[in-house]
Amino acid sequence: MTVNIPLLEASGIQKSYGATRALAGVNFDIGRGEVVALVGENGAGKSTLGKILAGATEMDEGTVSVNGMPVSFHSTKDALDHGVAIVLQEFNLIPEMTVAENLFLTRPTGYRWGWWKTRKSQVDQASKAIADAYMDFGIDPEALVSELSVAQQQIVEIIRSLSVDAQLFILDEPSAALGRRETDSLLQLIRRLRDDGRSVIIVTHRLDEVYAVADRIFVLRDGIARGEFDPASTSTDELVAAMVGRALDKEMHEARTIQTPGDAVLTVDKLVVQGSSSECSFQVRRGEIVGVAGLVGSGRTELIRAIFGADPAVSGTVVLGGTTGVIRSPLAAVRAGAAMVSEDRKQLGLHTALTIHDNVVLSYLAKYGKFWLNRKKLDADVAQQVDDLRIKIGGSWLDAGVLSGGNQQKVVLAKWLLSKPELLILDEPTRGIDVGARAEFYRVVDDLVAQGMAVLMVSSEMPEVLALSDRVLVMSKGAIVTELSREEATEERILSFTEVMAAA
């Protein structure tokens, strides 16, 4: 009788961070040529389990075996030596090096006799790796990583990990920064890996991806395994209920409280950003959300960064908080009443080595005194933000780096809300946030808008753009090609503008 031994099997996995229990005796396995989706709310333990299985984090207790043999991973290299590779949610690229150098930095094929291969050989290999993944999307192998968009960096991270000779790939939120076309290419790549007999664990909050590629769904909640599900016989409602332990109010994913907007908080007039010759003009008024849609590389992020003063604009005018002209720095934008939640929380939103408490108050310490800080008021405000946003923590004095991605994003939002901005700029605000936390996030934004705040939002999540936006600006090649009202905006109509203009 033939016994099918799992490719990887984990038993009794336990992990804690201080008083926070991340995993409590989790058992997990995956077979050869299988795709398993690992799902759950933020803080459920998904990323922690994936990192333990790939050697990026050491467990407190438990056992792991590969091909029936016990293993002990103390690093990702140990795991890779046993055929297990991981794409981490946090980027691990070196910004000052080229794409080609990053792709082969830790791989013997990038070297000859201990030295880098010739630049041409290196670039040729990188071009082949990108082509083989069918995920080029304008990525130049000779470009510095620092010159790439977050979405392009995500693709490079994926290609680097998936181009190694491994039998099991663990993908932690691989599509978090990707648009529709890039995500479709990623899902095709996962299917090809499965067809080749390799296995994939995908950690994702996007349930459409789960149903598109998963053979099996493994649900975690509060660090405890809550069951395994067959995608073919499990509805979305059943899966969400298992993930969050309750039924969600669908209305929060489909609509918000619509009201009559007030006067303009932000006026952008003929603004031209770096790398574009197109002029962008629009307004954002009190009590409304203006969404910005477009394909990766359409100029969405470049536009809002120029408005916030994070990148220089070529020309044009920004009217905000009584100031007129191009905003020269984020400090000037904050003083004018703006706040921006960046798409890259690790690099631009958080100090992961600082505590949650210190991160929350970082943007507005002056509120608590010019010389002596009012610690009582400060601590009370931090506690209120943690409570309002339902940030899952073991204590506000833990380092922000130990939080799940979604809870880190909530800390970034809490930091800005303390400054009470008139304009809130959101760049991919729910990147890495689960379905339950998204509903909470939508409620927070809806409440802020109801109080008169103006919101400018960039999102690759088309349902999110349609659900939250009063108006949608559609961008392509650095230009606003059309503006659609809430009633006019549909996914098909937005895509028709973006894809036609991109092909022109």
Side-chain angles (χ1 to χ4, degrees), residues 9-13 26 53 59 61-65 70-71:
E9 187 172 16
S11 300
I13 305 298
V26 172
L53 299 181
M59 57 191 165
E61 293 183 34
T63 61
V64 176
S65 62
V71 294

Side-chain angles (χ1 to χ4, degrees), residues 272-414:
V272 179
V273 302
Q274 295 284 348
S276 175
S277 59
S278 301
E279 296 179 343
C280 294
S281 299
F282 63 94
Q283 288 187 329
V284 184
R285 297 168 292 180
R286 297 186 190 281
E288 75 167 347
I289 299 176
V290 174
V292 185
L295 302 176
V296 171
S298 62
R300 301 168 304 172
T301 295
E302 290 79 0
L303 173 64
I304 61 174
R305 283 179 60 84
I307 292 171
F308 194 63
D311 290 332
V314 175
S315 61
T317 301
V318 174
V319 181
L320 175 65
T323 65
T324 301
V326 173
I327 295 176
R328 302 296 179 184
S329 69
L331 177 59
V334 172
R335 286 174 173 169
M340 179 173 171
V341 177
S342 169
E343 65 176 332
D344 189 348
R345 59 178 168 265
K346 181 182 178 183
Q347 297 295 328
L348 303 174
L350 282 176
H351 287 277
T352 54
L354 293 181
T355 66
I356 298 161
H357 182 284
D358 290 346
N359 269 280
V360 171
V361 301
L362 197 58
S363 68
Y364 206 42
L365 276 174
K367 174 181 178 181
Y368 302 100
K370 295 182 182 293
F371 187 77
W372 298 107
L373 293 179
N374 184 339
R375 301 292 309 191
K376 184 176 181 180
K377 171 65 174 170
L378 187 152
D379 293 345
D381 283 354
V382 171
Q384 187 65 53
Q385 289 294 329
V386 169
D387 185 58
D388 288 348
L389 297 179
R390 301 183 191 179
I391 303 173
K392 293 182 178 179
I393 58 175
S396 63
W397 295 104
L398 287 174
D399 287 349
V402 307
L403 293 178
S404 65
N407 281 311
Q408 288 182 355
Q409 190 78 328
K410 289 182 184 180
V411 171
V412 176
L413 182 58

Side-chain angles (χ1 to χ4, degrees), residues 129 191 200 383 388 445:
R191 295 186 188 101
V200 178
D388 288 348
V445 174

Side-chain angles (χ1 to χ4, degrees), residues 134 194 256 265 357 374 397 437 447 469:
Y134 296 93
R194 177 175 55 193
R256 39 171 287 266
V265 171
H357 182 284
N374 184 339
W397 295 104
D447 288 344
S469 304

Side-chain angles (χ1 to χ4, degrees), residues 5-237:
I5 300 175
L7 173 61
L8 179 144
E9 187 172 16
S11 300
I13 305 298
Q14 297 195 40
K15 181 67 179 178
S16 296
Y17 295 98
T20 303
R21 182 184 63 178
L23 295 171
V26 172
N27 300 325
F28 175 86
D29 67 82
I30 184 169
R32 293 169 182 78
E34 185 180 27
V35 177
V36 176
L38 191 55
V39 301
E41 285 193 282
N42 291 124
K46 309 179 303 297
S47 294
T48 301
L49 178 58
K51 288 177 181 179
I52 287 173
L53 299 181
T57 296
E58 293 197 40
M59 57 191 165
D60 296 335
E61 293 183 34
T63 61
V64 176
S65 62
V66 175
N67 292 317
M69 301 296 294
V71 294
S72 180
F73 298 153
H74 301 287
S75 68
T76 53
K77 183 180 183 303
D78 288 347
L80 190 56
D81 289 342
H82 287 81
V84 180
I86 187 169
V87 177
L88 292 167
Q89 186 175 350
E90 302 84 9
F91 297 156
N92 285 276
L93 303 172
I94 300 177
E96 295 77 16
M97 298 181 75
T98 68
V99 170
E101 290 167 343
N102 270 278
L103 285 178
F104 298 104
L105 187 61
T106 59
R107 293 176 56 188
T109 53
Y111 301 84
R112 179 182 290 135
W113 303 306
W115 296 89
W116 282 102
K117 287 187 175 180
T118 64
R119 188 175 185 84
K120 181 180 184 304
S121 174
Q122 190 183 85
V123 170
D124 287 346
Q125 287 187 66
S127 298
K128 184 178 186 302
I130 293 170
D132 287 347
Y134 296 93
M135 295 185 74
D136 57 334
F137 296 108
I139 296 175
D140 180 1
E142 297 186 86
L144 294 176
V145 164
S146 60
E147 298 172 349
L148 303 182
S149 68
V150 172
Q152 289 175 321
Q153 290 182 42
Q154 179 84 75
I155 292 169
V156 172
E157 190 80 68
I158 291 168
I159 293 172
R160 181 172 71 171
S161 295
L162 297 189
S163 59
V164 301
D165 184 20
Q167 292 304 305
L168 170 61
F169 297 95
I170 302 172
L171 312 182
D172 190 2
E173 298 291 349
S175 64
L178 304 184
R180 177 176 172 176
R181 289 193 305 166
E182 296 80 18
T183 298
D184 287 345
S185 295
L186 172 64
L187 297 180
Q188 291 175 14
L189 181 57
I190 291 173
R191 295 186 188 101
R192 289 200 303 273
L193 290 170
R194 177 175 55 193
D195 293 344
D196 289 340
R198 301 201 238 184
S199 304
V200 178
I201 298 172
I202 179 170
V203 178
T204 180
H205 293 304
R206 294 179 171 178
L207 297 186
D208 56 336
E209 296 173 9
V210 171
Y211 285 96
V213 296
D215 300 303
R216 186 158 48 99
I217 306 170
F218 187 88
V219 176
L220 281 170
R221 188 171 78 245
D222 298 327
I224 300 172
R226 301 294 178 171
E228 297 183 5
F229 299 85
D230 179 359
S233 58
T234 305
S235 70
T236 303
D237 289 345

Side-chain angles (χ1 to χ4, degrees), residues 439-496:
E440 296 168 6
F441 175 82
Y442 294 160
R443 289 188 185 94
V444 169
V445 174
D446 190 44
D447 288 344
L448 294 172
V449 174
Q451 295 166 24
M453 188 178 291
V455 175
L456 178 62
M457 179 186 71
V458 167
S459 177
S460 299
E461 300 270 0
M462 196 66 71
E464 184 168 87
V465 172
L466 297 175
L468 295 183
S469 304
D470 295 288
R471 290 182 288 128
V472 178
L473 307 177
V474 183
M475 291 194 69
S476 181
K477 297 182 178 179
I480 297 174
V481 295
T482 191
E483 177 183 313
L484 302 173
S485 68
R486 185 178 183 86
E487 293 72 30
E488 295 171 328
T490 63
E491 184 168 351
E492 293 74 19
R493 193 163 188 185
I494 291 173
L495 288 174
S496 70

